[in-house]
Amino acid sequence: MDVIQIGPLALKGDLLALIGALILAAVTVMLRLKLENKSAKPWVEWAMTVMLALLLNEKFGYLWDSPSVLWEQPKALLFLSGASMNGNVLLVIGLLSWSILYVRKQELSLAVLTDLAAQGYLMWTAGYGFLYSYIGRTAPGMTAFPLPGGIAEALPPIEAFVAMIVLLVLWLLRRPLGSLKDAQYSTLLMGTSGLLLSLMTVQEIAWMGLSGTQWLYVFLLICCYFITRERERRRVQTKLKEEQDLENIQKA
């Protein structure tokens, strides 16, 4: 993509698309909280921190593979940008660990965080795909429609449309935050559709026969498994409580 010069700082168009998509994701999280009449301040702080970490990784993530740039060519930090597989893995682990600690420190609900993160991810996917297509190219890691080149590149990728449809359905259903239903269906649909769509294009192998994008979808399906188990555990606990309450009423 084209490089945009802001003083001595050079920003790639894909970085600006990422910034725009993250802003849309943050706005989506805030609007969802407003609809639920929940305090947005702690969640906005969480979202802003996640955004900053993602942007720093996108701009300086290449340093995980080439740290020598720091002392050999420090001026190049203004012009170079890009992430790395190692940096992405460490970023995911770091953000998950920090988010859990943050939720416990602020005495927030981890289930609410999971639902909000799922909706933010859906908006980010849709926004990134649509913003990238604005310049006539398909976003990296996403699948263009099987149409003639010019038309396919002008349209947002299939994953962006899928994410937008899933998000619209979730907003129409308006399930309570913390029920984990939004997170379960989001991870299931995006993980499954993403893996299937990735088979339509040639992927650059990153590790164990899968590309970085495919590993992302595998991660979403793993999250879906644990979310489903948690929902089942809640269902069993609710049923046991109802049976116990009924038994107590009968004894009384």
Side-chain angles (χ1 to χ4, degrees):
M1 295 182 70
D2 297 335
V3 175
I4 298 176
Q5 196 77 26
I6 304 178
L9 184 64
L11 295 177
K12 289 185 177 180
D14 55 354
L15 183 59
L16 293 178
L18 175 63
I19 294 174
L22 289 174
I23 292 174
L24 290 174
V27 171
T28 300
V29 169
M30 287 187 287
L31 290 176
R32 190 68 176 86
L33 288 167
K34 187 175 182 180
L35 289 174
E36 294 289 326
N37 294 321
K38 292 183 179 292
S39 175
K41 182 178 178 181
W43 299 111
V44 170
E45 292 178 352
W46 167 78
M48 292 299 104
T49 304
V50 171
M51 285 177 59
L52 179 60
L54 291 172
L55 290 174
L56 288 175
N57 179 69
E58 183 65 24
K59 176 60 181 174
F60 302 109
Y62 62 89
L63 292 175
W64 290 105
D65 294 335
S66 305
S68 60
V69 174
L70 283 172
W71 56 85
E72 292 180 356
Q73 296 176 311
K75 291 183 178 180
L77 295 174
L78 295 174
F79 307 101
L80 298 177
S81 64
S84 68
M85 185 65 179
N86 294 331
N88 290 339
V89 172
L90 292 173
L91 178 69
V92 171
I93 295 174
L95 286 179
L96 286 175
S97 303
W98 173 80
S99 296
I100 293 173
L101 293 174
Y102 178 83
V103 166
R104 291 181 176 178
K105 182 179 179 180
Q106 299 292 328
E107 297 182 350
L108 302 172
S109 170
L110 186 59
V112 172
L113 171 66
T114 306
D115 279 339
L116 288 175
Q119 296 202 17
Y121 170 74
L122 289 173
M123 188 68 252
W124 173 84
T125 302
Y128 190 61
F130 275 81
L131 290 173
Y132 217 107
S133 66
Y134 181 73
I135 61 163
R137 293 185 60 184
T138 302
M142 296 188 182
T143 310
F145 280 92
L147 298 171
I151 300 177
E153 291 179 353
L155 290 174
I158 302 176
E159 288 88 348
F161 279 104
V162 173
M164 182 60 71
I165 292 172
V166 174
L167 183 61
L168 288 175
V169 172
L170 294 182
W171 274 58
L172 289 173
L173 294 176
R174 287 282 301 278
R175 298 185 179 90
L177 289 174
S179 66
L180 294 178
K181 291 183 179 179
D182 288 357
Q184 182 185 23
Y185 297 135
S186 299
T187 52
L188 175 63
L189 293 173
M190 294 305 297
T192 304
S193 62
L195 275 179
L196 293 176
L197 288 170
S198 68
L199 300 177
M200 298 173 57
T201 57
V202 178
Q203 300 286 327
E204 183 178 351
I205 303 302
W207 185 58
M208 291 182 64
L210 297 178
S211 66
T213 304
Q214 289 173 327
W215 276 114
L216 170 62
Y217 296 131
V218 170
F219 173 74
L220 291 178
L221 291 176
I222 293 174
C223 290
C224 179
Y225 169 78
F226 285 107
I227 292 170
T228 303
R229 291 291 302 271
E230 174 62 19
R231 288 198 62 205
E232 291 176 352
R233 185 186 68 82
R234 289 185 175 190
R235 192 179 298 113
V236 171
Q237 285 184 340
T238 302
K239 184 177 180 180
L240 290 175
K241 186 176 183 303
E242 291 175 351
E243 292 177 351
Q244 186 176 6
D245 291 342
L246 179 61
E247 185 178 349
N248 292 335
I249 293 175
Q250 291 176 346
K251 287 182 179 179

